Amino acid sequence: MRFVRLRFFLWVLFLGLGLQSALFGGAWSATENLSAAGVDASNHYVVLNSAGQVVVVWERGNEIQASMFTVGGSWSSPVTVSSEGDVASQPYVAINDVGQVVAMWKRESGGLFDVQVSTLQFGGSWSAPTSLIVLGA
């Protein structure tokens, strides 16, 4: 098992999500805008495993988006992991050492609230969102 010492600096840009990264002792990268232009990005959450795989999730309007990165590589294009037409918020993400990822968030649809999850094997595609529990009206 190798351990990666990587630093991240994420911040909310006007209508975007800015990110810089660096290996400890190395220079910071140029600023990248992970979120597509046009809608504010907020409430980001980033995770890193010992293999150098990184996943970040964030709110973009009423959606939850995600992007992946491997040390020495580049960021993937952002993808929307929440369902279209729902109001999604409060994202969280976790990753284990073999690259299994789970993202979860709160969803409002039709006056009801629930917790939804989507999973992926690092480098693959996100699963369709699944509801875990209805929180009530």
Side-chain angles (χ1 to χ4, degrees), residues 4-11 18-24 28-29 34 46-48 52-56 69-71 75:
V4 178
R5 296 180 59 185
L6 188 64
R7 301 176 289 176
F8 287 96
F9 182 59
L10 281 109
W11 67 95
L19 177 130
Q20 288 181 278
S21 61
L23 291 171
F24 276 99
W28 285 98
S29 68
L34 292 184
V46 63
V47 291
L48 164 72
Q53 299 168 323
V54 182
V55 180
V56 62
F69 170 84
T70 301
V71 173
W75 286 96

Side-chain angles (χ1 to χ4, degrees), residues 15-137:
L15 300 179
L17 181 66
L19 177 130
Q20 288 181 278
S21 61
L23 291 171
F24 276 99
W28 285 98
S29 68
T31 300
E32 297 183 55
N33 189 350
L34 292 184
S35 183
V39 177
D40 282 339
S42 61
N43 295 331
H44 54 275
Y45 198 94
V46 63
V47 291
L48 164 72
N49 69 8
S50 63
Q53 299 168 323
V54 182
V55 180
V56 62
V57 294
W58 64 92
E59 289 179 37
R60 181 177 186 268
N62 291 329
E63 301 174 331
I64 303 301
Q65 292 194 321
S67 183
M68 296 176 282
F69 170 84
T70 301
V71 173
S74 60
W75 286 96
S76 67
S77 297
V79 296
T80 300
V81 297
S82 57
S83 298
E84 188 174 330
D86 294 336
V87 176
S89 62
Q90 301 174 1
Y92 176 83
V93 66
I95 186 171
N96 67 15
D97 286 338
V98 294
Q100 295 169 320
V101 181
V102 61
M104 60 189 313
W105 59 91
K106 184 176 91 173
R107 174 184 76 142
E108 179 185 0
S109 182
L112 295 176
F113 296 89
D114 62 354
V115 174
Q116 287 202 310
V117 298
S118 181
T119 60
L120 72 85
Q121 180 64 45
F122 192 88
S125 298
W126 289 95
S127 67
T130 302
S131 292
L132 293 181
I133 185 169
V134 175
L135 302 174

